[in-house]
Amino acid sequence: MKSIKILFYGLVFETLAMTCNPKVNVELFLYNAISLFEDRSYFEEAIIQKFMQKNLDTWLFDQLCELLYLFSVDGSIRARESLYEKYNTLLGLLSHRTNRVDKDNLEWLCVWLTTLDGFPAFKSILQQLGEYAFRKSDIVDIDWFYFNAKNKFGDKRVDTYLQKNAIKSDYIKSFLNSISQTKIQNRQGIDSPTLEEVIKASREKRSRGLALRFAKVATEEELIKLAKYSIEEINLDIKLELLWTFRNVRFPLDEQFIFELAGNDNESIRNVAFEMMQHLPSDTIHDFAINLIKQKKELANALSLLCFCYKSEDETVLLEGIQSLTISYEDGGWHGLFMDVERLLVNRYVKINPSVFIYIYRQTLCSYCRHTLIHKMFKRKILPQEILEECLHDSYEDIRKFAVRKLKK
């Protein structure tokens, strides 16, 4: 029995790793399988141990939340306490310079806790998030939790509670103000945002939605002014907000500034710099990307950049670079890269060896990406027969069905 448990333990986390498609309720399937064991505590403790780790990828975090939610619904006090313990940890991190993943995970957890404990949990979470917003004079960027609650409990009930209690509670008022800011920002998206609005929102660290809309309407003169502001800004958080527009439109000043950003100690600044490079001429970025890949520096960013200036002779460098990349939930840089490589299949003028795509198919942790990759390889007529046959045993049902259909022809 011990050996069966160990084997099944590995199967649980391997299945979670391979299934990122929201259409597949693998969590319920796994929970039902775990329930077949007389003693479920072995698996419950393993799931809790994983759940308590830091910097979990949001896909995996949501899956673990649902598993612990199912344990809690079935009466597990340990699972319920673990969900709230993690909530308190992530809530505490808001007061520090937390990363985007922690904020996203906190929002997912808030949604699961209101699913578990209903409107009382919603009211408690509102109070705590509002307290953070009030004490830090900050905006709680967690509007999806709010809209999910409206879907769950009804628009009228949620908004009536907020408006009624905002009168007598500074904390609820602060939360409501955060939601109002989100609504205002969404309304601004209907009209073309001005340069002044983008700069003001950048200093309040809420400019990214505006920045992407601004990129579509900005004049060359406005882009030059914004570029100058971004160069002069010392605060890295604000600089990042100011640079956000240039993810979607070419930076109009000295290109050397972008390459300097790519060497910044701040990871977010480096990431946005590589996205800005995608708008530069291929000859400008090609050798830069190749050199980084050969040195195994900034691998995910450099490989993604190479996809935007790819040449047929880069085939070996691309494959060896991808094979050197860490693929795990703790380090999610591989996912965006794999999607960039997959886009090469759309370009009929690019000749590329299927071995790159075969490697991605076998290594990716995302079932949806495997599905789209197999479709595109087949359409491009570079899907080997042995891989199509291998697809018959894929963990994702749609891939298996696709393989059955094509092998019948």
Side-chain angles (χ1 to χ4, degrees), residues 211-267:
L212 297 180
R213 299 180 189 109
F214 182 68
K216 297 178 181 179
V217 299
T219 64
E220 183 70 12
E221 182 181 357
E222 288 174 325
L223 291 173
I224 290 172
K225 287 182 180 178
L226 182 61
K228 287 179 178 178
Y229 274 111
S230 68
I231 290 173
E232 294 166 1
E233 181 58 55
I234 298 174
N235 184 299
L236 290 181
D237 290 335
I238 298 175
K239 183 186 282 288
L240 180 65
E241 299 282 326
L242 291 168
L243 291 170
W244 211 252
T245 293
F246 301 109
R247 295 168 69 246
N248 281 34
V249 66
R250 185 173 176 178
F251 188 76
L253 299 181
D254 188 0
E255 295 169 355
Q256 185 57 36
F257 172 67
I258 306 176
F259 290 98
E260 290 172 2
L261 291 176
N264 196 283
D265 290 338
N266 184 292
E267 182 181 6

Side-chain angles (χ1 to χ4, degrees), residues 116-141:
L116 177 64
D117 287 333
F119 203 72
F122 175 69
K123 292 192 291 185
S124 175
I125 291 169
L126 278 185
Q127 185 79 7
Q128 292 167 322
L129 292 175
E131 181 179 2
Y132 162 80
F134 178 77
R135 294 189 183 281
K136 295 293 181 178
S137 299
D138 198 2
I139 293 172
V140 181
D141 183 15

Side-chain angles (χ1 to χ4, degrees), residues 13-63:
F13 290 108
E14 180 66 17
T15 305
L16 288 176
M18 294 179 70
T19 311
C20 303
N21 191 327
K23 293 181 180 179
V24 181
N25 194 340
V26 67
E27 298 81 19
L28 182 59
F29 168 79
L30 287 174
Y31 183 75
N32 288 336
I34 289 170
S35 298
L36 296 174
F37 288 86
E38 185 176 346
D39 180 13
R40 302 183 308 169
S41 62
Y42 175 85
F43 303 102
E44 183 178 9
E45 285 302 320
I47 290 166
I48 290 171
Q49 185 178 359
K50 185 71 176 178
F51 180 67
M52 290 302 178
Q53 291 180 6
K54 296 179 180 179
N55 301 319
L56 286 177
D57 183 277
T58 301
W59 291 338
L60 178 59
F61 184 83
D62 175 47
Q63 292 172 320

Side-chain angles (χ1 to χ4, degrees), residues 64-81:
L64 295 172
C65 279
E66 182 167 358
L67 281 169
L68 292 178
Y69 160 80
L70 292 168
F71 274 106
S72 301
V73 169
D74 268 0
S76 171
I77 296 174
R78 175 85 173 103
R80 178 184 293 273
E81 289 177 345

Side-chain angles (χ1 to χ4, degrees), residues 244-300:
W244 211 252
T245 293
F246 301 109
R247 295 168 69 246
N248 281 34
V249 66
R250 185 173 176 178
F251 188 76
L253 299 181
D254 188 0
E255 295 169 355
Q256 185 57 36
F257 172 67
I258 306 176
F259 290 98
E260 290 172 2
L261 291 176
N264 196 283
D265 290 338
N266 184 292
E267 182 181 6
S268 296
I269 293 289
R270 293 198 306 273
N271 289 342
V272 81
F274 277 94
E275 290 186 86
M276 291 167 66
M277 285 182 199
Q278 294 170 10
H279 302 287
L280 299 180
S282 294
D283 292 343
T284 305
I285 59 177
H286 183 268
D287 290 346
F288 178 75
I290 291 290
N291 287 335
L292 284 177
I293 294 167
K294 288 182 176 178
Q295 297 175 58
K296 291 184 170 56
K297 292 182 178 179
E298 288 290 331
L299 258 182

Side-chain angles (χ1 to χ4, degrees), residues 350-361:
V350 173
K351 287 185 64 178
I352 191 162
N353 193 304
S355 57
V356 173
F357 301 108
I358 292 170
Y359 179 81
I360 290 176
Y361 168 73

